[in-house]
Each structure stands twice: as structure tokens, then as C-alpha cells.
């Protein structure tokens, strides 16, 4: 039976308040396996009912410092889902997300960080100014990587947000070459970004 208790029909039963508290506590526990298992269960909870996790934002921010990749990407996924509900608290995850964005060993961690930064950066012009240098560097660093198409989907969402005029202009310039010369999804998504910014 998994951390988030699956019924015979395969649907996930809601976590009790006590179980939720235990899972959050596991995020800072000594066991790597418990941390990973808890992070996975909490990410599933966030997909179903993110409001329940708002009081625990600081625990997810803190968990970005754990050594194992899975705990970090699951917690970044949770934080991404919490941005629309409590973006101010999620601001505190920026340093951890920056470190995760340039994790040399884990593509899923880098992708989760990019999704978080794009989601947070799209909320206000000020946040777009803070997130853009990291997003821009990631676009350049990971352009040919396996995760890049998914990263670009996050950038499409970013381009729909409340960006400063400087960030919008820089983003349009960054993807212009691929919009003109790329192929397939790369060309299509790059053009969509430019269209969103008009």
C-alpha cells in the first residue's frame, strides 16, 4: 500500500490531517527513502487538493536542500502548484530552485525547477525580472537537451504571464531564431511565445 493509500478501484483516498502532518515531518527526517516516499505522496496530494498544503510551504522550501533528486523535484512540483495560491511564500524557494535548475546530475530536477521559475515569474512584473535571468540561462544551457521541449512548454506559459516590458522583449529576442528556423514543436512553441508577447 502506498503512502497515499490507494483503494481497490485505483483512486487515491484523501490523506487524513494526521497522515499529512506525518508526511510533512518525513521531509526533514533522516531516511532518504522516507523523504522520497513522503515527497511523492505530498506531490499527489498537491495535484488533487493543493490548498491543504499551503500551511507547509516552508517545509517544501526547506526540502529543496535534500541530497536526493526525487525529493527535490517532487517538492518543486508541489511549490509550482502552490504558486497561484500563495506566491509570496513561494518566493522563498527561489534560491533552492536556482540551485536545482543547474543540477548537473538530474534532468527531472532541472525541469521541475524551470516549471517553478516560469510559474512564479509569470505572476508579477517584478518576479518576471527576478526569474528571467535564470530562465534565459536555462534556455541557452539546455537548448538541445532531452528535457528542453518540456521546458519550452513552461516558457510558453511564462510568456502568457505578467511580464515586464524588458523581459518580454528579451524573451522574444531569445526565441526568434527558433521561431524562424526551427522545425516541428520547437518552431511552433517558439512562435507561440512570440505571439503571446505581442
Amino acid at each position: 500500500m502506498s503512502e497515499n493509500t490507494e483503494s481497490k478501484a485505483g483512486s487515491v483516498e484523501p490523506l487524513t490531517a494526521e497522515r499529512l502532518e506525518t508526511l510533512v515531518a518525513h521531509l526533514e527526517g533522516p531516511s532518504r527513502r522516507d523523504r522520497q516516499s513522503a515527497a511523492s505522496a505530498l506531490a499527489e496530494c498537491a495535484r488533487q487538493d493543493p490548498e491543504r498544503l499551503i500551511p507547509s510551504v516552508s517545509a517544501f522550501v526547506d526540502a529543496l536542500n535534500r541530497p536526493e533528486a526525487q525529493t527535490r523535484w517532487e517538492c518543486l512540483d508541489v511549490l509550482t502548484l502552490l504558486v497561484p495560491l500563495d506566491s509570496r511564500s513561494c518566493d522563498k524557494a527561489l534560491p533552492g530552485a536556482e540551485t536545482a535548475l543547474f543540477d548537473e546530475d538530474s534532468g527531472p530536477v532541472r525541469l521541475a525547477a524551470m516549471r517553478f521559475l516560469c510559474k512564479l515569474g509569470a505572476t508579477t512584473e517584478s518576479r518576471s525580472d527576478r526569474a528571467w535571468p535564470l530562465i534565459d540561462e536555462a534556455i541557452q544551457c539546455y537548448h538541445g537537451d532531452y528535457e528542453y521541449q518540456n521546458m519550452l512548454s513552461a516558457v510558453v506559459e511564462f510568456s502568457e504571464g505578467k511580464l515586464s516590458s524588458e523581459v518580454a522583449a528579451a524573451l522574444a529576442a531569445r526565441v526568434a531564431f527558433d521561431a524562424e528556423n526551427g522545425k516541428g514543436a520547437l518552431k511552433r512553441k517558439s512562435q507561440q511565445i512570440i505571439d503571446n508577447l505581442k
Side-chain angles (χ1 to χ4, degrees):
M1 187 97 28
S2 71
E3 290 278 6
N4 46 353
T5 314
E6 292 187 22
S7 70
K8 290 179 183 175
S11 62
V12 179
E13 296 173 9
L15 294 170
T16 64
E18 184 179 356
R19 185 69 183 134
L20 191 59
E21 188 177 326
T22 300
L23 289 171
V24 171
H26 280 326
L27 290 177
E28 59 182 352
S31 165
R32 172 187 293 255
R33 184 174 179 184
D34 286 350
R35 290 193 303 261
Q36 289 178 167
S37 182
S40 179
L42 289 164
E44 182 59 36
C45 178
R47 286 187 280 276
Q48 295 182 19
D49 190 6
E51 290 87 355
R52 292 187 70 194
L53 300 181
I54 293 172
S56 304
V57 169
S58 61
F60 296 111
V61 172
D62 182 62
L64 300 183
N65 297 311
R66 301 297 172 264
E68 64 278 1
Q70 184 180 353
T71 298
R72 287 181 285 134
W73 86 59
E74 301 275 21
C75 288
L76 281 162
D77 287 348
V78 171
L79 289 163
T80 301
L81 291 166
L82 294 180
V83 165
L85 306 174
D86 189 0
S87 58
R88 186 167 297 180
S89 294
C90 290
D91 271 337
K92 295 172 184 153
L94 269 172
E98 178 177 0
T99 300
L101 186 63
F102 301 107
D103 184 308
E104 295 181 2
D105 299 320
S106 176
V109 169
R110 294 192 297 268
L111 176 57
M114 185 69 148
R115 286 175 171 153
F116 171 77
L117 289 164
C118 287
K119 180 68 82 172
L120 187 68
T123 56
T124 67
E125 291 187 11
S126 173
R127 287 196 185 105
S128 77
D129 287 335
R130 292 207 311 273
W132 169 246
L134 299 173
I135 294 169
D136 186 32
E137 189 172 354
I139 290 171
Q140 296 174 72
C141 286
Y142 305 128
H143 191 274
D145 286 10
Y146 177 77
E147 298 85 17
Y148 185 69
Q149 287 295 336
N150 288 325
M151 286 184 171
L152 198 56
S153 295
V155 179
V156 170
E157 282 192 47
F158 177 66
S159 71
E160 297 168 346
K162 299 174 183 173
L163 310 187
S164 70
S165 55
E166 293 82 5
V167 168
L171 175 54
R174 176 59 63 210
V175 300
F177 181 86
D178 286 338
E180 292 177 18
N181 303 291
K183 296 189 186 327
L186 176 63
K187 179 180 179 71
R188 189 170 59 253
K189 289 178 183 178
S190 298
Q191 185 59 55
Q192 186 178 351
I193 290 167
I194 290 173
D195 293 343
N196 288 344
L197 296 168
K198 288 179 181 174

